[in-house]
Amino acid sequence: MIQAYKGLLTKDIKVMKNYYFLGMGLILLAVVGGGLLTKYFKEPNIMAAVMLMVLFAHIMYIPLFILASLNIEAKTQTWLHNPNSAALLLLSKLGSALVAYLFSICFTLLVAAAVYFLYPSAEFYTLIQGSLLTNTLYISIAITFVTIYFAVWILFYWSFFHSLKNVSVAGALRWPILILFWIIQTIAGNYITSSKWFGKIISIGVIEADAKWLSVDLEVNQSSASIGMNPTVEISLVHGLIYTLLVIFLFYLSAWLIEKKVEV
């Protein structure tokens, strides 16, 4: 199984190598554009803001990478002749996307460090409380969890969409059905998360973490103000467990749909 996964992962990395370079190219384009604007306006805060936007843009990196990889499979139909399980195939997609993501975000952080040393006088850095390195690390970890979560949803919706192809009644209405399903899922999710009983469940196993790094101090006309979160933020371990179980469930449901219902 490990050897099979290594083979699949190597194949996916080779197939998607152009997307690796595309991601790097977009980052460099943003850096060059930010550098030109910084030079033109003589405002170093522009470059700092550009790097922050590039960092947060990584939230959609793995979902878009996964979607591109799945669409390639749909065009080439190589899955039809692959003896491995759908779960292993999807895990390979996630693995190759994660490899590309780690290269991209590390590259972004290296460029951001270079920007910091080039423009140390930018007021943007002084607005954030605490260690800039620690703050960046926390943000990067949070972005990593979020992008993986979104990617698994992409896997599910892609599998669900293609599974409708073999349903005679729904085949021609796949997009309306998918949109309707998303609306119902969103409404149901909002109802559950806003309910009192859900609030009681996620209040179990709550720990407090220092959130001073999320605060920003502003000074306008010799008057100071503070925006951001409270000095501490509550992290629910049960909440995290629920989302972890949801991700696992969606992943295996996607694999089941591919094996039983999907002919890509």
Side-chain angles (χ1 to χ4, degrees):
M1 181 176 176
I2 295 178
Q3 288 299 117
Y5 179 74
K6 287 182 178 179
L8 289 170
L9 184 61
T10 302
K11 184 267 293 183
D12 281 326
I13 290 175
K14 289 181 178 179
V15 169
M16 300 298 292
K17 63 181 179 181
N18 290 336
Y19 289 87
Y20 288 30
F21 298 119
L22 176 62
M24 297 293 187
L26 291 174
I27 294 172
L28 289 175
L29 184 63
V31 171
V32 171
L36 292 175
L37 289 174
T38 298
K39 186 176 181 179
Y40 180 80
F41 291 103
K42 297 181 180 179
E43 177 52 71
N45 287 315
I46 293 176
M47 200 65 222
V50 167
M51 294 313 304
L52 185 65
M53 287 188 292
V54 170
L55 183 61
F56 274 99
H58 279 78
I59 288 175
M60 295 307 300
Y61 190 100
I62 294 183
L64 292 176
F65 195 96
I66 286 288
L67 187 59
S69 181
L70 290 172
N71 286 335
I72 290 175
E73 292 290 352
K75 292 178 181 179
T76 60
Q77 296 187 345
T78 55
W79 279 8
L80 296 178
H81 312 288
N82 198 305
N84 296 292
S85 66
L88 201 62
L89 294 170
L90 292 181
L91 196 61
S92 174
K93 300 293 180 190
L94 282 173
S96 64
L98 187 59
V99 169
Y101 167 83
L102 291 175
F103 273 109
S104 181
I105 199 166
C106 288
F107 179 68
T108 300
L109 294 175
L110 287 174
V111 174
V115 169
Y116 175 75
F117 286 109
L118 286 173
Y119 303 101
S121 60
E123 295 179 359
F124 177 83
Y125 303 122
T126 62
L127 296 177
I128 302 175
Q129 297 183 9
S131 169
L132 186 63
L133 179 62
T134 303
N135 299 345
T136 305
L137 179 62
Y138 284 151
I139 292 172
S140 300
I141 292 173
I143 289 173
T144 302
F145 282 117
V146 173
T147 190
I148 293 174
Y149 176 75
F150 286 162
V152 174
W153 273 108
I154 291 293
L155 286 178
F156 167 72
Y157 275 111
W158 186 90
S159 304
F160 178 61
F161 177 78
H162 283 278
S163 69
L164 295 174
K165 187 187 300 183
N166 296 324
V167 181
S168 57
V169 178
L173 300 172
R174 287 187 293 168
W175 277 112
I177 292 174
L178 190 70
I179 294 171
L180 180 62
F181 180 86
W182 176 80
I183 293 173
I184 294 173
Q185 173 252 312
T186 302
I187 294 174
N190 290 337
Y191 174 77
I192 292 173
T193 55
S194 62
S195 62
K196 293 182 178 179
W197 61 267
F198 185 80
K200 292 180 180 179
I201 291 176
I202 64 174
S203 64
I204 302 172
V206 172
I207 59 175
E208 290 187 350
D210 184 9
K212 290 181 180 179
W213 57 279
L214 289 171
S215 300
V216 177
D217 291 329
L218 300 178
E219 187 172 334
V220 181
N221 295 329
Q222 297 181 346
S223 298
S224 62
S226 179
I227 62 174
M229 297 183 66
N230 294 323
T232 58
V233 60
E234 293 184 345
I235 300 175
S236 172
L237 298 179
V238 174
H239 204 177
L241 177 62
I242 290 173
Y243 275 96
T244 300
L245 294 175
L246 177 60
V247 164
I248 295 173
F249 171 75
L250 288 173
F251 177 82
Y252 280 103
L253 179 58
S254 302
W256 180 83
L257 286 172
I258 290 175
E259 287 186 336
K260 305 297 182 182
K261 304 293 182 180
V262 176
E263 292 183 5
V264 296

